[in-house]
Amino acid sequence: SFPTRRSSDLCRESTPLQRENILNEWYREQLKQQILVVLEKYKKIVGVHCNEWKIKNMRTKWGTCNIEKREFV
């Protein structure tokens, strides 16, 4: 669930960077809770098994793909 402190307290007592970090950590936790369900669903559709997954803070919307390593960055 979302951080338990009241948002008004969080805004008064923290910097914008601290709030951004708290929100990013919350999103990461939400993703970790859902990723296995999503991977299983698309494994059946695409027919490809995922050996490993990582959550990465991307600086841009674009990534790269290495077909030989079967890796998306």
Coordinates of all heavy atoms in Angstrom, one line a residue:
S1 N 0.8 -1.2 0.0 CA 0.0 0.0 0.0 C 0.9 1.3 0.0 O 2.1 1.2 0.3 CB -0.9 0.0 1.2 OG -0.2 0.1 2.4
F2 N 0.2 2.4 -0.2 CA 1.0 3.6 -0.3 C 1.5 4.0 1.0 O 1.0 3.6 2.1 CB 0.0 4.7 -0.9 CG 0.7 5.8 -1.5 CD1 1.3 5.7 -2.8 CD2 0.8 7.1 -0.9 CE1 2.0 6.7 -3.4 CE2 1.4 8.1 -1.5 CZ 2.1 7.9 -2.7
P3 N 2.6 4.8 1.1 CA 3.1 5.2 2.4 C 2.0 5.7 3.4 O 1.1 6.4 3.0 CB 4.1 6.3 2.1 CG 4.5 6.1 0.6 CD 3.2 5.4 0.0
T4 N 2.2 5.3 4.6 CA 1.1 5.5 5.6 C 1.1 7.0 6.2 O 0.1 7.4 6.7 CB 1.3 4.6 6.8 OG1 2.6 4.7 7.3 CG2 1.0 3.1 6.4
R5 N 2.1 7.7 6.0 CA 2.1 9.1 6.5 C 1.2 9.9 5.7 O 1.0 9.7 4.5 CB 3.5 9.7 6.4 CG 4.5 9.0 7.3 CD 5.9 9.5 7.2 NE 5.9 10.9 7.7 CZ 7.0 11.7 7.6 NH1 8.0 11.3 7.0 NH2 6.9 12.9 8.2
R6 N 0.6 10.9 6.3 CA -0.4 11.8 5.6 C 0.4 12.6 4.6 O 1.5 13.0 4.8 CB -1.0 12.7 6.6 CG -2.0 12.0 7.5 CD -2.8 13.0 8.3 NE -1.9 14.0 8.9 CZ -2.3 15.2 9.4 NH1 -3.6 15.4 9.4 NH2 -1.5 16.0 9.9
S7 N -0.2 12.7 3.4 CA 0.5 13.5 2.3 C 0.9 14.9 2.7 O 1.9 15.4 2.3 CB -0.2 13.5 1.0 OG -1.5 12.9 1.1
S8 N 0.0 15.5 3.5 CA 0.4 16.9 3.9 C 1.6 17.0 4.7 O 2.4 17.9 4.6 CB -0.8 17.6 4.6 OG -1.1 16.8 5.8
D9 N 1.8 16.0 5.6 CA 3.0 15.9 6.4 C 4.2 15.6 5.6 O 5.3 16.2 5.7 CB 2.9 14.8 7.5 CG 1.9 15.1 8.6 OD1 1.5 16.3 8.7 OD2 1.4 14.2 9.2
L10 N 4.1 14.7 4.6 CA 5.1 14.4 3.7 C 5.6 15.6 2.9 O 6.8 15.8 2.8 CB 4.7 13.2 2.8 CG 5.7 12.6 1.9 CD1 6.9 12.0 2.7 CD2 5.1 11.6 1.0
C11 N 4.7 16.3 2.4 CA 5.0 17.5 1.6 C 5.7 18.6 2.4 O 6.7 19.2 2.0 CB 3.8 18.1 1.0 SG 3.1 17.1 -0.3
R12 N 5.3 18.8 3.7 CA 5.9 19.8 4.5 C 7.3 19.4 5.0 O 8.2 20.3 5.1 CB 5.1 20.1 5.7 CG 4.1 21.1 5.5 CD 3.5 21.6 6.9 NE 3.0 20.5 7.7 CZ 1.8 20.1 7.7 NH1 0.9 20.6 6.9 NH2 1.4 19.1 8.5
E13 N 7.5 18.1 5.2 CA 8.8 17.7 5.9 C 9.8 17.1 4.9 O 10.8 16.6 5.3 CB 8.4 16.6 6.9 CG 7.5 17.1 8.0 CD 7.0 16.0 8.9 OE1 7.5 14.9 8.7 OE2 6.2 16.3 9.8
S14 N 9.6 17.2 3.6 CA 10.5 16.5 2.7 C 10.8 17.4 1.5 O 10.0 18.4 1.2 CB 9.9 15.2 2.2 OG 8.7 15.5 1.5
T15 N 11.9 17.1 0.9 CA 12.3 17.9 -0.3 C 11.6 17.2 -1.5 O 11.2 16.1 -1.5 CB 13.8 17.8 -0.5 OG1 14.2 16.5 -0.8 CG2 14.5 18.4 0.7
P16 N 11.6 17.9 -2.7 CA 11.0 17.3 -3.9 C 11.8 16.0 -4.3 O 11.1 15.0 -4.7 CB 11.2 18.4 -5.0 CG 11.1 19.7 -4.2 CD 11.8 19.4 -2.9
L17 N 13.1 16.0 -4.1 CA 13.8 14.8 -4.4 C 13.5 13.6 -3.5 O 13.3 12.5 -3.9 CB 15.3 15.0 -4.3 CG 16.3 13.9 -4.6 CD1 16.0 13.4 -6.1 CD2 17.7 14.3 -4.5
Q18 N 13.2 13.9 -2.2 CA 12.8 12.8 -1.3 C 11.5 12.3 -1.7 O 11.2 11.1 -1.6 CB 12.8 13.4 0.2 CG 14.2 13.6 0.7 CD 14.1 14.3 2.1 OE1 13.3 15.3 2.3 NE2 15.0 14.0 3.0
R19 N 10.5 13.2 -2.0 CA 9.2 12.7 -2.4 C 9.3 11.9 -3.7 O 8.6 10.9 -3.8 CB 8.3 13.9 -2.6 CG 8.0 14.6 -1.3 CD 6.9 15.6 -1.4 NE 7.2 16.8 -2.3 CZ 7.8 17.9 -1.8 NH1 8.1 18.0 -0.6 NH2 8.0 18.9 -2.7
E20 N 10.1 12.3 -4.6 CA 10.3 11.5 -5.9 C 10.8 10.2 -5.5 O 10.4 9.2 -6.1 CB 11.3 12.3 -6.8 CG 11.5 11.5 -8.1 CD 12.5 12.3 -9.0 OE1 12.9 13.4 -8.7 OE2 13.0 11.6 -10.0
N21 N 11.8 10.1 -4.7 CA 12.4 8.8 -4.3 C 11.3 7.9 -3.6 O 11.3 6.7 -3.9 CB 13.6 8.9 -3.4 CG 14.8 9.5 -4.1 OD1 14.9 9.4 -5.3 ND2 15.7 10.2 -3.4
I22 N 10.5 8.4 -2.7 CA 9.5 7.7 -2.1 C 8.5 7.1 -3.1 O 8.1 5.9 -3.0 CB 8.8 8.5 -1.0 CG1 9.7 8.8 0.2 CG2 7.5 7.9 -0.5 CD1 9.2 9.8 1.2
L23 N 8.1 8.0 -4.0 CA 7.1 7.5 -5.0 C 7.7 6.5 -5.9 O 7.1 5.5 -6.3 CB 6.7 8.7 -5.8 CG 5.5 8.5 -6.8 CD1 4.3 7.9 -6.1 CD2 5.2 9.8 -7.6
N24 N 9.0 6.7 -6.3 CA 9.7 5.7 -7.2 C 9.8 4.3 -6.5 O 9.6 3.3 -7.1 CB 11.0 6.1 -7.6 CG 11.0 7.1 -8.7 OD1 10.0 7.2 -9.5 ND2 12.0 8.0 -8.8
E25 N 10.1 4.3 -5.2 CA 10.2 3.1 -4.4 C 8.8 2.4 -4.3 O 8.7 1.2 -4.4 CB 10.7 3.3 -3.0 CG 12.2 3.5 -3.0 CD 13.0 2.3 -3.6 OE1 12.7 1.1 -3.3 OE2 13.8 2.5 -4.5
W26 N 7.8 3.2 -4.2 CA 6.4 2.6 -4.1 C 6.1 2.0 -5.5 O 5.5 0.9 -5.5 CB 5.4 3.7 -3.8 CG 4.0 3.2 -3.7 CD1 3.4 2.6 -2.6 CD2 3.0 3.3 -4.7 NE1 2.1 2.2 -2.9 CE2 1.8 2.7 -4.2 CE3 2.9 3.9 -6.0 CZ2 0.7 2.6 -4.9 CZ3 1.8 3.8 -6.7 CH2 0.6 3.1 -6.1
Y27 N 6.4 2.7 -6.6 CA 6.1 2.1 -7.9 C 6.9 0.8 -8.1 O 6.4 -0.2 -8.6 CB 6.5 3.0 -9.0 CG 5.5 4.1 -9.3 CD1 5.8 5.4 -9.3 CD2 4.1 3.7 -9.6 CE1 4.9 6.4 -9.6 CE2 3.2 4.7 -9.9 CZ 3.6 6.0 -9.9 OH 2.6 7.0 -10.2
R28 N 8.1 0.7 -7.6 CA 9.0 -0.5 -7.8 C 8.3 -1.6 -7.0 O 8.3 -2.8 -7.5 CB 10.4 -0.2 -7.3 CG 11.2 0.7 -8.1 CD 12.5 1.1 -7.5 NE 13.5 0.1 -7.6 CZ 14.3 0.0 -8.7 NH1 14.2 0.9 -9.6 NH2 15.2 -0.9 -8.7
E29 N 7.9 -1.4 -5.8 CA 7.2 -2.4 -5.0 C 6.0 -2.9 -5.7 O 5.7 -4.1 -5.7 CB 6.9 -1.9 -3.6 CG 8.2 -1.7 -2.7 CD 9.0 -3.0 -2.6 OE1 8.4 -4.1 -2.4 OE2 10.2 -2.9 -2.8
Q30 N 5.2 -2.0 -6.2 CA 4.0 -2.4 -6.9 C 4.3 -3.3 -8.1 O 3.7 -4.3 -8.4 CB 3.2 -1.2 -7.4 CG 2.7 -0.3 -6.3 CD 1.8 -1.0 -5.3 OE1 0.8 -1.6 -5.7 NE2 2.2 -1.0 -4.1
L31 N 5.3 -2.9 -8.9 CA 5.8 -3.7 -10.0 C 6.3 -5.1 -9.6 O 5.9 -6.1 -10.2 CB 6.9 -3.0 -10.8 CG 7.4 -3.7 -12.0 CD1 6.3 -4.1 -13.0 CD2 8.5 -2.9 -12.7
K32 N 7.0 -5.2 -8.5 CA 7.6 -6.5 -8.0 C 6.4 -7.4 -7.7 O 6.5 -8.6 -7.8 CB 8.5 -6.2 -6.8 CG 9.8 -5.7 -7.2 CD 10.6 -5.4 -5.9 CE 11.9 -4.7 -6.2 NZ 12.7 -4.4 -5.0
Q33 N 5.3 -6.8 -7.1 CA 4.2 -7.7 -6.7 C 3.4 -8.2 -8.0 O 2.8 -9.2 -7.9 CB 3.2 -6.9 -5.9 CG 3.8 -6.5 -4.5 CD 2.9 -5.6 -3.7 OE1 1.7 -5.5 -4.0 NE2 3.5 -5.0 -2.6
Q34 N 3.5 -7.5 -9.1 CA 2.7 -7.9 -10.3 C 3.5 -8.5 -11.4 O 2.9 -9.2 -12.3 CB 2.0 -6.6 -10.8 CG 1.0 -6.0 -9.9 CD -0.1 -6.9 -9.5 OE1 -0.7 -7.6 -10.4 NE2 -0.5 -7.0 -8.3
I35 N 4.8 -8.4 -11.4 CA 5.6 -8.8 -12.5 C 5.5 -10.3 -12.9 O 5.4 -10.7 -14.0 CB 7.1 -8.4 -12.4 CG1 7.8 -8.5 -13.7 CG2 7.8 -9.2 -11.3 CD1 7.4 -7.5 -14.7
L36 N 5.4 -11.2 -11.9 CA 5.4 -12.6 -12.1 C 4.1 -13.0 -12.9 O 4.1 -13.8 -13.8 CB 5.5 -13.4 -10.9 CG 6.9 -13.2 -10.2 CD1 7.0 -14.0 -8.9 CD2 8.0 -13.6 -11.1
V37 N 3.0 -12.4 -12.5 CA 1.7 -12.6 -13.2 C 1.8 -12.2 -14.6 O 1.4 -12.9 -15.5 CB 0.5 -11.9 -12.4 CG1 -0.7 -12.0 -13.2 CG2 0.4 -12.4 -11.0
V38 N 2.3 -11.0 -14.9 CA 2.4 -10.5 -16.2 C 3.4 -11.3 -17.1 O 3.1 -11.7 -18.2 CB 2.9 -9.0 -16.2 CG1 3.2 -8.5 -17.6 CG2 1.9 -8.1 -15.5
L39 N 4.5 -11.7 -16.5 CA 5.5 -12.5 -17.2 C 4.9 -13.9 -17.6 O 5.1 -14.4 -18.7 CB 6.7 -12.8 -16.4 CG 7.7 -11.5 -16.3 CD1 8.8 -11.9 -15.4 CD2 8.1 -11.1 -17.6
E40 N 4.1 -14.5 -16.7 CA 3.5 -15.8 -17.0 C 2.5 -15.6 -18.1 O 2.4 -16.5 -19.0 CB 2.8 -16.3 -15.7 CG 2.3 -17.7 -15.9 CD 3.4 -18.7 -16.1 OE1 4.5 -18.6 -15.7 OE2 3.1 -19.7 -16.8
K41 N 1.7 -14.6 -18.1 CA 0.7 -14.4 -19.1 C 1.3 -14.2 -20.5 O 0.9 -14.9 -21.4 CB -0.1 -13.1 -18.8 CG -1.1 -12.7 -19.9 CD -1.7 -11.4 -19.6 CE -2.6 -10.9 -20.7 NZ -3.3 -9.6 -20.4
Y42 N 2.4 -13.4 -20.6 CA 3.0 -13.2 -21.9 C 3.9 -14.3 -22.3 O 4.2 -14.5 -23.5 CB 3.7 -11.8 -21.9 CG 2.7 -10.7 -22.0 CD1 2.2 -10.0 -20.9 CD2 2.1 -10.5 -23.3 CE1 1.2 -9.1 -21.0 CE2 1.1 -9.5 -23.4 CZ 0.7 -8.8 -22.3 OH -0.3 -7.8 -22.4
K43 N 4.4 -15.1 -21.4 CA 5.2 -16.3 -21.7 C 4.3 -17.2 -22.6 O 4.7 -17.8 -23.6 CB 5.7 -17.0 -20.5 CG 6.4 -18.3 -20.7 CD 7.0 -18.9 -19.5 CE 6.1 -20.0 -19.0 NZ 6.7 -20.7 -17.9
K44 N 3.1 -17.4 -22.2 CA 2.1 -18.3 -22.9 C 1.8 -17.7 -24.3 O 1.7 -18.4 -25.2 CB 0.9 -18.5 -22.1 CG 1.1 -19.2 -20.8 CD -0.2 -19.3 -20.0 CE 0.1 -20.0 -18.6 NZ -1.0 -20.0 -17.8
I45 N 1.6 -16.4 -24.3 CA 1.3 -15.7 -25.6 C 2.4 -15.7 -26.6 O 2.3 -16.1 -27.8 CB 0.8 -14.3 -25.4 CG1 -0.5 -14.3 -24.6 CG2 0.6 -13.5 -26.7 CD1 -0.9 -12.9 -24.1
V46 N 3.6 -15.3 -26.1 CA 4.8 -15.2 -27.0 C 5.6 -16.5 -27.2 O 6.2 -16.7 -28.2 CB 5.7 -14.1 -26.4 CG1 7.0 -13.9 -27.3 CG2 5.0 -12.8 -26.3
G47 N 5.5 -17.4 -26.2 CA 6.2 -18.6 -26.2 C 7.7 -18.5 -25.9 O 8.5 -19.3 -26.3
V48 N 8.0 -17.5 -25.1 CA 9.4 -17.3 -24.7 C 9.4 -17.3 -23.1 O 8.6 -16.6 -22.5 CB 9.9 -16.0 -25.2 CG1 11.3 -15.7 -24.7 CG2 9.9 -16.0 -26.8
H49 N 10.4 -18.0 -22.6 CA 10.6 -18.0 -21.1 C 11.6 -16.9 -20.7 O 12.6 -16.7 -21.3 CB 11.1 -19.4 -20.7 CG 11.4 -19.4 -19.2 ND1 10.4 -19.4 -18.2 CD2 12.6 -19.5 -18.5 CE1 11.0 -19.5 -17.0 NE2 12.3 -19.5 -17.2
C50 N 11.3 -16.2 -19.6 CA 12.2 -15.2 -19.1 C 13.0 -15.8 -18.0 O 12.4 -16.2 -16.9 CB 11.3 -14.0 -18.6 SG 12.3 -12.7 -17.8
N51 N 14.3 -15.8 -18.1 CA 15.2 -16.4 -17.1 C 15.4 -15.4 -16.0 O 15.7 -15.8 -14.8 CB 16.5 -16.8 -17.7 CG 16.3 -18.0 -18.6 OD1 15.5 -18.9 -18.3 ND2 17.1 -18.0 -19.7
E52 N 15.4 -14.1 -16.3 CA 15.8 -13.1 -15.3 C 15.1 -11.8 -15.7 O 14.8 -11.5 -16.8 CB 17.3 -12.9 -15.4 CG 17.8 -11.9 -14.4 CD 19.3 -11.7 -14.6 OE1 19.9 -12.0 -15.6 OE2 19.9 -11.2 -13.6
W53 N 14.7 -11.0 -14.7 CA 14.1 -9.7 -14.9 C 14.7 -8.7 -13.9 O 15.1 -9.1 -12.8 CB 12.6 -9.7 -14.9 CG 12.0 -10.2 -13.6 CD1 11.7 -11.5 -13.3 CD2 11.7 -9.4 -12.5 NE1 11.2 -11.6 -12.0 CE2 11.2 -10.3 -11.5 CE3 11.8 -8.1 -12.2 CZ2 10.8 -9.9 -10.3 CZ3 11.4 -7.6 -10.9 CH2 10.8 -8.5 -10.0
K54 N 14.8 -7.5 -14.3 CA 15.3 -6.4 -13.4 C 14.4 -5.2 -13.6 O 13.8 -5.0 -14.6 CB 16.7 -6.0 -13.8 CG 17.7 -7.1 -13.7 CD 19.1 -6.7 -14.2 CE 20.0 -7.9 -14.2 NZ 21.3 -7.5 -14.7
I55 N 14.3 -4.4 -12.5 CA 13.7 -3.1 -12.6 C 14.8 -2.1 -12.7 O 15.7 -2.0 -11.9 CB 12.8 -2.9 -11.3 CG1 11.8 -3.9 -11.2 CG2 12.2 -1.5 -11.4 CD1 11.0 -3.9 -9.9
K56 N 14.7 -1.2 -13.7 CA 15.7 -0.2 -13.9 C 15.1 1.1 -14.1 O 14.0 1.3 -14.8 CB 16.5 -0.6 -15.2 CG 17.7 0.3 -15.5 CD 18.4 -0.3 -16.6 CE 19.7 0.6 -16.9 NZ 20.5 0.1 -18.0
N57 N 15.7 2.1 -13.5 CA 15.2 3.5 -13.7 C 15.8 4.0 -15.0 O 16.9 4.3 -15.1 CB 15.7 4.4 -12.5 CG 15.0 5.7 -12.5 OD1 14.1 6.0 -13.2 ND2 15.6 6.6 -11.7
M58 N 14.9 4.2 -16.0 CA 15.3 4.6 -17.3 C 15.4 6.1 -17.4 O 14.5 6.8 -16.9 CB 14.4 4.0 -18.4 CG 14.2 2.5 -18.3 SD 15.8 1.7 -18.6 CE 16.0 1.9 -20.3
R59 N 16.4 6.6 -18.1 CA 16.5 8.1 -18.3 C 15.7 8.5 -19.5 O 15.3 9.7 -19.6 CB 17.9 8.5 -18.4 CG 18.7 8.3 -17.1 CD 20.1 8.8 -17.3 NE 21.0 8.0 -16.5 CZ 22.2 7.7 -16.8 NH1 22.8 8.2 -17.8 NH2 22.9 6.9 -16.0
T60 N 15.5 7.6 -20.4 CA 14.7 7.9 -21.6 C 13.6 6.9 -21.8 O 13.6 5.9 -21.2 CB 15.6 7.9 -22.9 OG1 16.1 6.6 -23.1 CG2 16.8 8.9 -22.7
K61 N 12.8 7.1 -22.8 CA 11.7 6.2 -23.1 C 12.2 5.1 -24.0 O 11.5 4.1 -24.2 CB 10.5 6.9 -23.7 CG 9.8 7.8 -22.8 CD 8.7 8.5 -23.5 CE 8.0 9.5 -22.6 NZ 6.9 10.2 -23.2
W62 N 13.3 5.2 -24.6 CA 13.8 4.2 -25.6 C 14.9 3.3 -24.9 O 15.6 3.8 -24.1 CB 14.5 5.0 -26.8 CG 13.5 5.7 -27.5 CD1 13.2 7.1 -27.4 CD2 12.5 5.2 -28.5 NE1 12.2 7.4 -28.2 CE2 11.8 6.3 -28.9 CE3 12.3 4.0 -29.0 CZ2 10.8 6.2 -29.9 CZ3 11.3 3.8 -30.0 CH2 10.5 4.9 -30.4
G63 N 14.9 2.1 -25.3 CA 15.9 1.2 -24.8 C 16.6 0.5 -26.0 O 16.5 0.9 -27.2
T64 N 17.4 -0.5 -25.7 CA 18.1 -1.3 -26.8 C 17.8 -2.7 -26.6 O 17.4 -3.2 -25.5 CB 19.6 -1.0 -26.8 OG1 20.1 -1.5 -25.5 CG2 20.0 0.4 -26.9
C65 N 18.1 -3.5 -27.6 CA 17.8 -4.9 -27.6 C 19.1 -5.6 -28.1 O 19.6 -5.3 -29.1 CB 16.6 -5.3 -28.5 SG 16.4 -7.0 -28.7
N66 N 19.6 -6.6 -27.4 CA 20.7 -7.5 -27.8 C 20.1 -8.9 -28.1 O 19.8 -9.6 -27.2 CB 21.7 -7.5 -26.7 CG 23.0 -8.3 -27.1 OD1 22.9 -9.2 -28.0 ND2 24.1 -7.9 -26.6
I67 N 19.9 -9.2 -29.3 CA 19.2 -10.4 -29.7 C 20.1 -11.6 -29.3 O 19.5 -12.7 -28.9 CB 19.0 -10.4 -31.2 CG1 18.0 -9.4 -31.6 CG2 18.5 -11.8 -31.7 CD1 17.7 -9.1 -33.0
E68 N 21.4 -11.6 -29.5 CA 22.3 -12.7 -29.1 C 22.2 -13.1 -27.6 O 22.1 -14.2 -27.2 CB 23.7 -12.4 -29.5 CG 23.9 -12.5 -31.0 CD 24.8 -11.4 -31.5 OE1 25.6 -10.8 -30.7 OE2 24.8 -11.2 -32.7
K69 N 22.1 -12.1 -26.8 CA 22.0 -12.3 -25.3 C 20.5 -12.4 -24.9 O 20.3 -12.7 -23.8 CB 22.6 -11.2 -24.6 CG 24.1 -11.2 -24.6 CD 24.7 -10.1 -23.7 CE 26.2 -10.0 -23.7 NZ 26.7 -9.0 -22.8
R70 N 19.6 -12.1 -25.9 CA 18.2 -12.1 -25.6 C 17.9 -11.1 -24.4 O 17.3 -11.5 -23.4 CB 17.7 -13.5 -25.3 CG 17.8 -14.4 -26.5 CD 17.2 -15.7 -26.2 NE 15.8 -15.6 -26.3 CZ 14.9 -16.5 -26.5 NH1 15.4 -17.7 -26.7 NH2 13.7 -16.3 -26.6
E71 N 18.5 -9.9 -24.5 CA 18.4 -9.0 -23.4 C 17.9 -7.6 -23.9 O 18.3 -7.2 -25.0 CB 19.8 -8.8 -22.9 CG 20.0 -7.8 -21.8 CD 21.5 -7.8 -21.4 OE1 22.3 -7.1 -22.0 OE2 21.8 -8.6 -20.5
F72 N 17.0 -7.0 -23.2 CA 16.5 -5.7 -23.5 C 17.0 -4.8 -22.4 O 16.9 -5.1 -21.2 CB 14.9 -5.7 -23.5 CG 14.4 -6.6 -24.5 CD1 14.1 -7.9 -24.3 CD2 14.2 -6.1 -25.8 CE1 13.5 -8.8 -25.2 CE2 13.7 -7.0 -26.8 CZ 13.3 -8.3 -26.5
V73 N 17.5 -3.6 -22.8 CA 18.0 -2.7 -21.9 C 17.3 -1.3 -22.1 O 17.1 -0.9 -23.2 CB 19.5 -2.5 -22.0 CG1 20.1 -1.5 -21.0 CG2 20.2 -3.8 -21.8

